Amino acid sequence: SVYRKDFPKKTCEIPQPLKCESEFPDIIAEPFKDYVLPDSVLTKLKEPHEFEQAGKFYQRLVEEMPYITRHLDKDVDQEFLNVLYQNNARTVYQNDFCRIEDGFVSKRTLAAKRIELPPDWGDPPLTTQRKSYRDPKKILREGESLASKMFKAPKTSFELNPKIKEILQIRTGDTEYQSVVGHLGDQICKDKYYGKIDLLPNELVPGQIIEQ
């Protein structure tokens, strides 16, 4: 046919699936297996024979490769093994970014940490503030307090009557809250929609002259 003349037959081979075998029996846990553990951890295991002691490992390494003593002239450092063992149980963020030597605490927090003095230290020395200024609590008279006092507006005859300001629509100095929300609340109190509402202690009504 025309199709066979224009498009000759092509043959191809189907490739076989590629199999990759791992050198580890357990590809998830085997690469992270610890072959040498610190002695402090090795003594706590139920079956310590699965691991090799660091001292025996070093002796065997020297017997098999004597030239290794050029680089390792002493026994394995147990403290260094403890650090490696602890780092294996931490995340990448903890090992690379956190301050392990500071106990995961920032320098600012360490600087602000309170230090307890021994009981026989004695009274702390006076500061510049205590030495230069008297304690105000000790110079108060009987019945006096350091609490702020309520200041009232002085008497004046120049303030317009609130009713006149309302008629003339004078809103100078009024905030949005006073002209909207406050106006509604004032209307409720004035017309007594919910009954008579007594003023709070030391409450000052604008425009009201207080007689002492």
Side-chain angles (χ1 to χ4, degrees):
S1 62
V2 178
Y3 181 84
R4 289 186 176 181
K5 289 182 179 181
D6 296 341
F7 302 96
K9 184 178 180 181
K10 297 181 180 180
T11 58
C12 62
E13 296 181 0
I14 300 177
Q16 297 295 329
L18 182 62
K19 295 182 180 180
C20 298
E21 296 182 358
S22 175
E23 57 179 328
F24 304 107
D26 187 357
I27 61 175
I28 297 178
E30 195 73 18
F32 303 97
K33 182 178 179 180
D34 294 324
Y35 293 93
V36 179
L37 295 178
D39 294 343
S40 59
V41 179
L42 196 62
T43 54
K44 299 178 182 179
L45 298 178
K46 295 182 180 180
E47 298 180 356
H49 62 275
E50 296 183 359
F51 302 92
E52 189 174 9
Q53 292 184 355
K56 294 182 179 180
F57 172 78
Y58 176 75
Q59 295 297 332
R60 183 171 59 84
L61 187 64
V62 172
E63 293 176 359
E64 295 179 0
M65 296 180 290
Y67 59 87
I68 201 68
T69 54
R70 302 175 185 175
H71 310 282
L72 298 175
D73 56 350
K74 58 181 180 180
D75 201 353
V76 180
D77 188 2
Q78 292 293 329
E79 184 177 354
F80 180 71
L81 284 180
N82 283 323
V83 173
L84 293 179
Y85 180 77
Q86 294 174 1
N87 289 341
N88 290 338
R90 297 189 177 105
T91 61
V92 177
Y93 177 80
Q94 291 175 332
N95 289 329
D96 297 344
F97 298 96
C98 293
R99 300 177 182 273
I100 304 296
E101 63 278 1
D102 295 340
F104 302 100
V105 181
S106 63
K107 291 184 178 180
R108 182 178 180 181
T109 305
L110 290 175
K113 187 177 180 180
R114 298 180 63 89
I115 302 176
E116 295 184 1
L117 299 177
D120 56 347
W121 185 269
D123 296 333
L126 295 177
T127 60
T128 307
Q129 171 72 21
R130 293 184 179 181
K131 195 173 182 180
S132 304
Y133 302 95
R134 293 182 296 174
D135 187 359
K137 295 181 180 179
K138 296 181 180 180
I139 60 177
L140 290 176
R141 299 177 182 176
E142 185 178 356
E144 292 183 344
S145 175
L146 292 176
S148 59
K149 299 180 181 180
M150 177 65 68
F151 292 95
K152 300 179 181 179
K155 297 180 180 180
T156 176
S157 58
F158 295 100
E159 186 175 355
L160 291 178
N161 189 287
K163 193 64 178 178
I164 298 177
K165 293 179 63 176
E166 183 179 356
I167 295 174
L168 298 178
Q169 296 183 357
I170 300 176
R171 297 182 178 179
T172 304
D174 290 349
T175 61
E176 182 180 359
Y177 180 87
Q178 292 173 339
S179 59
V180 180
V181 183
H183 178 72
L184 177 60
D186 183 60
Q187 195 72 24
I188 293 174
C189 295
K190 184 185 299 183
D191 296 341
K192 302 179 182 179
Y193 293 154
Y194 301 100
K196 184 179 180 181
I197 301 177
D198 297 331
L199 297 177
L200 297 174
N202 300 327
E203 184 177 2
L204 180 63
V205 179
Q208 181 181 1
I209 300 178
I210 300 177
E211 297 182 359
Q212 296 182 352

mmCIF file of all heavy atoms in Angstrom, residues 124-141:
data_model
loop_
_atom_site.group_PDB
_atom_site.id
_atom_site.type_symbol
_atom_site.label_atom_id
_atom_site.label_comp_id
_atom_site.label_asym_id
_atom_site.label_seq_id
_atom_site.Cartn_x
_atom_site.Cartn_y
_atom_site.Cartn_z
ATOM 1 N N PRO A 124 22.805 43.699 99.521
ATOM 2 C CA PRO A 124 23.400 44.236 98.292
ATOM 3 C C PRO A 124 23.760 45.704 98.470
ATOM 4 O O PRO A 124 23.099 46.429 99.220
ATOM 5 C CB PRO A 124 22.286 44.056 97.250
ATOM 6 C CG PRO A 124 21.030 43.985 98.042
ATOM 7 C CD PRO A 124 21.390 43.335 99.336
ATOM 8 N N PRO A 125 24.791 46.175 97.820
ATOM 9 C CA PRO A 125 25.192 47.583 97.971
ATOM 10 C C PRO A 125 24.141 48.516 97.390
ATOM 11 O O PRO A 125 23.379 48.155 96.500
ATOM 12 C CB PRO A 125 26.506 47.656 97.180
ATOM 13 C CG PRO A 125 26.420 46.527 96.203
ATOM 14 C CD PRO A 125 25.656 45.436 96.892
ATOM 15 N N LEU A 126 24.107 49.742 97.922
ATOM 16 C CA LEU A 126 23.148 50.729 97.452
ATOM 17 C C LEU A 126 23.510 51.196 96.046
ATOM 18 O O LEU A 126 24.676 51.377 95.714
ATOM 19 C CB LEU A 126 23.120 51.931 98.398
ATOM 20 C CG LEU A 126 22.606 51.662 99.816
ATOM 21 C CD1 LEU A 126 22.708 52.934 100.647
ATOM 22 C CD2 LEU A 126 21.175 51.163 99.790
ATOM 23 N N THR A 127 22.484 51.400 95.234
ATOM 24 C CA THR A 127 22.703 51.923 93.893
ATOM 25 C C THR A 127 22.805 53.439 93.939
ATOM 26 O O THR A 127 22.596 54.072 94.982
ATOM 27 C CB THR A 127 21.547 51.506 92.973
ATOM 28 O OG1 THR A 127 20.320 52.031 93.512
ATOM 29 C CG2 THR A 127 21.439 49.994 92.891
ATOM 30 N N THR A 128 23.127 54.049 92.803
ATOM 31 C CA THR A 128 23.215 55.510 92.736
ATOM 32 C C THR A 128 21.863 56.149 93.023
ATOM 33 O O THR A 128 21.779 57.203 93.670
ATOM 34 C CB THR A 128 23.719 55.930 91.346
ATOM 35 O OG1 THR A 128 24.924 55.235 91.057
ATOM 36 C CG2 THR A 128 23.957 57.422 91.282
ATOM 37 N N GLN A 129 20.780 55.510 92.563
ATOM 38 C CA GLN A 129 19.442 56.042 92.808
ATOM 39 C C GLN A 129 19.118 56.031 94.301
ATOM 40 O O GLN A 129 18.628 57.018 94.854
ATOM 41 C CB GLN A 129 18.417 55.205 92.026
ATOM 42 C CG GLN A 129 16.962 55.493 92.344
ATOM 43 C CD GLN A 129 16.499 56.830 91.804
ATOM 44 O OE1 GLN A 129 17.109 57.363 90.889
ATOM 45 N NE2 GLN A 129 15.427 57.371 92.358
ATOM 46 N N ARG A 130 19.391 54.916 94.967
ATOM 47 C CA ARG A 130 19.071 54.824 96.392
ATOM 48 C C ARG A 130 19.965 55.733 97.238
ATOM 49 O O ARG A 130 19.542 56.241 98.275
ATOM 50 C CB ARG A 130 19.223 53.380 96.856
ATOM 51 C CG ARG A 130 18.193 52.432 96.256
ATOM 52 C CD ARG A 130 18.358 51.047 96.837
ATOM 53 N NE ARG A 130 17.363 50.123 96.303
ATOM 54 C CZ ARG A 130 17.274 48.843 96.661
ATOM 55 N NH1 ARG A 130 18.120 48.347 97.555
ATOM 56 N NH2 ARG A 130 16.358 48.065 96.127
ATOM 57 N N LYS A 131 21.188 55.926 96.801
ATOM 58 C CA LYS A 131 22.122 56.725 97.588
ATOM 59 C C LYS A 131 21.872 58.215 97.423
ATOM 60 O O LYS A 131 22.151 59.008 98.331
ATOM 61 C CB LYS A 131 23.551 56.380 97.167
ATOM 62 C CG LYS A 131 24.612 56.860 98.136
ATOM 63 C CD LYS A 131 25.972 56.335 97.745
ATOM 64 C CE LYS A 131 27.036 56.765 98.746
ATOM 65 N NZ LYS A 131 28.380 56.249 98.385
ATOM 66 N N SER A 132 21.356 58.634 96.265
ATOM 67 C CA SER A 132 21.185 60.060 95.980
ATOM 68 C C SER A 132 19.789 60.571 96.299
ATOM 69 O O SER A 132 19.618 61.771 96.528
ATOM 70 C CB SER A 132 21.506 60.335 94.505
ATOM 71 O OG SER A 132 22.812 59.892 94.183
ATOM 72 N N TYR A 133 18.785 59.693 96.289
ATOM 73 C CA TYR A 133 17.405 60.133 96.482
ATOM 74 C C TYR A 133 16.766 59.334 97.609
ATOM 75 O O TYR A 133 17.021 58.140 97.766
ATOM 76 C CB TYR A 133 16.583 59.960 95.194
ATOM 77 C CG TYR A 133 17.153 60.712 94.014
ATOM 78 C CD1 TYR A 133 18.004 60.072 93.117
ATOM 79 C CD2 TYR A 133 16.853 62.049 93.808
ATOM 80 C CE1 TYR A 133 18.542 60.758 92.037
ATOM 81 C CE2 TYR A 133 17.384 62.744 92.733
ATOM 82 C CZ TYR A 133 18.229 62.093 91.848
ATOM 83 O OH TYR A 133 18.754 62.771 90.787
ATOM 84 N N ARG A 134 15.912 60.011 98.352
ATOM 85 C CA ARG A 134 15.217 59.347 99.443
ATOM 86 C C ARG A 134 14.057 58.509 98.914
ATOM 87 O O ARG A 134 13.532 58.761 97.830
ATOM 88 C CB ARG A 134 14.686 60.383 100.436
ATOM 89 C CG ARG A 134 15.766 61.128 101.200
ATOM 90 C CD ARG A 134 15.160 62.095 102.181
ATOM 91 N NE ARG A 134 14.410 63.152 101.496
ATOM 92 C CZ ARG A 134 13.683 64.075 102.121
ATOM 93 N NH1 ARG A 134 13.609 64.069 103.441
ATOM 94 N NH2 ARG A 134 13.041 64.996 101.438
ATOM 95 N N ASP A 135 13.651 57.551 99.707
ATOM 96 C CA ASP A 135 12.509 56.723 99.348
ATOM 97 C C ASP A 135 11.243 57.530 99.584
ATOM 98 O O ASP A 135 10.974 57.947 100.717
ATOM 99 C CB ASP A 135 12.496 55.450 100.195
ATOM 100 C CG ASP A 135 11.427 54.470 99.730
ATOM 101 O OD1 ASP A 135 10.706 54.801 98.768
ATOM 102 O OD2 ASP A 135 11.315 53.382 100.326
ATOM 103 N N PRO A 136 10.434 57.799 98.549
ATOM 104 C CA PRO A 136 9.240 58.642 98.757
ATOM 105 C C PRO A 136 8.234 58.021 99.713
ATOM 106 O O PRO A 136 7.454 58.740 100.342
ATOM 107 C CB PRO A 136 8.666 58.784 97.344
ATOM 108 C CG PRO A 136 9.219 57.634 96.579
ATOM 109 C CD PRO A 136 10.565 57.355 97.157
ATOM 110 N N LYS A 137 8.230 56.710 99.856
ATOM 111 C CA LYS A 137 7.274 56.083 100.764
ATOM 112 C C LYS A 137 7.585 56.398 102.226
ATOM 113 O O LYS A 137 6.691 56.368 103.069
ATOM 114 C CB LYS A 137 7.276 54.567 100.545
ATOM 115 C CG LYS A 137 6.785 54.147 99.166
ATOM 116 C CD LYS A 137 6.779 52.639 99.029
ATOM 117 C CE LYS A 137 6.292 52.222 97.642
ATOM 118 N NZ LYS A 137 6.298 50.745 97.484
ATOM 119 N N LYS A 138 8.853 56.689 102.508
ATOM 120 C CA LYS A 138 9.242 56.941 103.894
ATOM 121 C C LYS A 138 8.989 58.385 104.328
ATOM 122 O O LYS A 138 9.045 58.686 105.520
ATOM 123 C CB LYS A 138 10.721 56.609 104.082
ATOM 124 C CG LYS A 138 11.035 55.136 103.876
ATOM 125 C CD LYS A 138 12.507 54.862 104.105
ATOM 126 C CE LYS A 138 12.831 53.384 103.909
ATOM 127 N NZ LYS A 138 14.271 53.085 104.129
ATOM 128 N N ILE A 139 8.755 59.288 103.370
ATOM 129 C CA ILE A 139 8.546 60.697 103.720
ATOM 130 C C ILE A 139 7.083 61.102 103.584
ATOM 131 O O ILE A 139 6.751 62.281 103.718
ATOM 132 C CB ILE A 139 9.421 61.606 102.828
ATOM 133 C CG1 ILE A 139 9.063 61.425 101.349
ATOM 134 C CG2 ILE A 139 10.895 61.332 103.064
ATOM 135 C CD1 ILE A 139 9.848 62.346 100.422
ATOM 136 N N LEU A 140 6.196 60.143 103.320
ATOM 137 C CA LEU A 140 4.774 60.460 103.228
ATOM 138 C C LEU A 140 4.193 60.670 104.619
ATOM 139 O O LEU A 140 4.581 60.010 105.588
ATOM 140 C CB LEU A 140 4.024 59.328 102.514
ATOM 141 C CG LEU A 140 4.283 59.163 101.018
ATOM 142 C CD1 LEU A 140 3.540 57.945 100.491
ATOM 143 C CD2 LEU A 140 3.852 60.406 100.248
ATOM 144 N N ARG A 141 3.262 61.566 104.693
ATOM 145 C CA ARG A 141 2.564 61.790 105.947
ATOM 146 C C ARG A 141 1.456 60.755 106.118
ATOM 147 O O ARG A 141 1.135 60.005 105.209
ATOM 148 C CB ARG A 141 1.986 63.200 105.980
ATOM 149 C CG ARG A 141 3.034 64.301 105.878
ATOM 150 C CD ARG A 141 2.368 65.657 105.847
ATOM 151 N NE ARG A 141 3.362 66.719 105.703
ATOM 152 C CZ ARG A 141 3.044 68.015 105.579
ATOM 153 N NH1 ARG A 141 1.762 68.389 105.593
ATOM 154 N NH2 ARG A 141 3.997 68.923 105.447
#
